[in-house]
Amino acid sequence: MKDTFYLKLNGYLLLTIIPLSMLGYYFAVHNESLFFLYEWLLVALVIILAGFSIRNIVSIRDTTRWVAISILTFLLQFSVLGLFWGPLSYFLMIYLYYAVALLSIIIFIITIRKNKTLRSIPIIFIILTGFFTLYMVFLNTIWGSSLS
């Protein structure tokens, strides 16, 4: 019972990325000098979420452990995407993202097959992975093209 509390807490904290991203958009558009605050808050949130995920992976002994593994995998994928958006905007990072996204999809499918109770979480992660991957495919196709 206590293990599922921490797992649900991890999921709810994962949802805080949405309002934090709205704050980041506000800073980027209206007050760019404070955008670093958003970046560091996002880094701190991802580190806290990864810590909760690792704690859940270690402490949970039933099939819901796979949900914690899928959350950690999604955070890894989100981190690679964030590094590409930020300081590491190199062409080879696109292929690293593709490899991490493929690994994530495999883990999400395993999670759906093994877990019977919290199947909505990996399904949402698959949808988000699809959107992020379509975005990366689009960037990969226009990389180096003159759009003017």
Side-chain angles (χ1 to χ4, degrees), residues 83-96:
L83 286 174
F84 176 76
W85 283 341
L88 300 176
S89 296
Y90 303 116
F91 186 73
L92 291 177
M93 284 294 288
I94 294 174
Y95 293 112
L96 177 64

Side-chain angles (χ1 to χ4, degrees), residues 38-72:
Y38 159 73
E39 292 174 331
W40 284 105
L41 285 173
L42 186 63
V43 166
L45 179 64
V46 168
I47 290 172
I48 289 168
L49 287 168
F52 268 122
S53 295
I54 292 169
R55 183 219 175 272
N56 288 332
I57 291 169
V58 170
S59 68
I60 297 175
R61 295 289 171 213
D62 58 354
T63 58
T64 56
R65 166 189 258 179
W66 281 95
V67 176
I69 293 171
S70 68
I71 290 173
L72 185 64

Side-chain angles (χ1 to χ4, degrees), residues 22-40 85:
M22 290 179 191
L23 177 70
Y25 175 78
Y26 175 78
F27 285 158
V29 172
H30 297 290
N31 199 351
E32 193 173 345
S33 63
L34 290 177
F35 190 72
F36 77 94
L37 184 63
Y38 159 73
E39 292 174 331
W40 284 105
W85 283 341

Side-chain angles (χ1 to χ4, degrees), residues 67 112 115-127:
V67 176
I112 290 171
N115 185 25
K116 303 296 182 207
T117 56
L118 298 171
R119 287 185 165 184
S120 61
I121 293 175
I123 291 172
I124 292 170
F125 289 159
I126 288 173
I127 293 168

